[in-house]
């Protein structure tokens, strides 16, 4: 497989004040959507949710194998949309990943 791993960071909006079980549910939704995509190697949420601009926001990090960053961003957007999470922002992290850290997906 061509490409390389990209870490993508998203801020997902949550309705109301999320409890721990709500954040766990979001993590499960993301993981369920991730399982259907062999090129998305990791998808996790980073609690706690923070109050930002009149909304609670939960950070999600995804590791996506793709040909380029635009395809990695698109894959992350699609996964989060399938999980039912509206995202305020989505961008590549500044972290450079190596194939030693994140081996390519098996075919």
């Amino acid at each position: 497989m061509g490409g390389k791993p990209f870490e993508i960071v998203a801020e997902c909006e949550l309705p109301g004040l999320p409890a721990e079980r709500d954040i766990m549910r979001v993590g499960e939704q993301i993981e369920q959507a991730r399982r259907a995509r062999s090129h998305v190697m990791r998808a996790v949420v980073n609690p706690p949710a923070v109050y930002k601009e009149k909304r609670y926001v939960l950070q999600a990090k995804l590791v996506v194998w793709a040909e380029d960053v635009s395809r990695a961003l698109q894959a992350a957007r699609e996964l989060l949309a399938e999980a039912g999470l509206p995202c305020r922002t989505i961008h590549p992290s500044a972290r450079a990943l190596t194939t030693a850290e994140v081996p390519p997906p098996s075919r």
Side-chain angles (χ1 to χ4, degrees), residues 5-107:
F6 294 92
E7 184 177 60
I8 306 298
V9 179
E11 288 185 336
C12 303
E13 292 185 359
L14 301 174
L17 174 61
E20 184 178 348
R21 68 180 174 278
D22 298 322
I23 293 171
M24 289 175 51
R25 181 183 44 77
V26 167
E28 290 167 3
Q29 286 172 253
I30 290 173
E31 178 57 24
Q32 185 176 17
R34 187 207 62 80
R35 285 188 201 121
R37 292 168 170 78
S38 64
H39 61 288
V40 180
M41 307 308 288
R42 285 185 225 139
V44 297
V45 294
N46 294 325
V50 295
Y51 193 71
K52 212 175 193 182
E53 299 171 12
K54 300 182 182 183
R55 292 277 189 178
Y56 283 95
V57 176
L58 182 63
Q59 185 185 73
K61 287 188 178 180
L62 300 92
V63 175
V64 180
W65 266 84
E67 293 295 323
D68 57 41
V69 71
S70 64
R71 289 185 180 151
L73 287 166
Q74 183 61 34
R77 279 187 197 96
E78 290 170 2
L79 183 145
L80 294 167
E82 183 179 313
L85 296 170
C87 290
R88 178 177 288 196
T89 64
I90 185 166
H91 55 86
S93 78
R95 185 171 170 223
L97 300 173
T98 66
T99 56
E101 290 175 285
V102 185
S106 57
R107 293 180 184 228

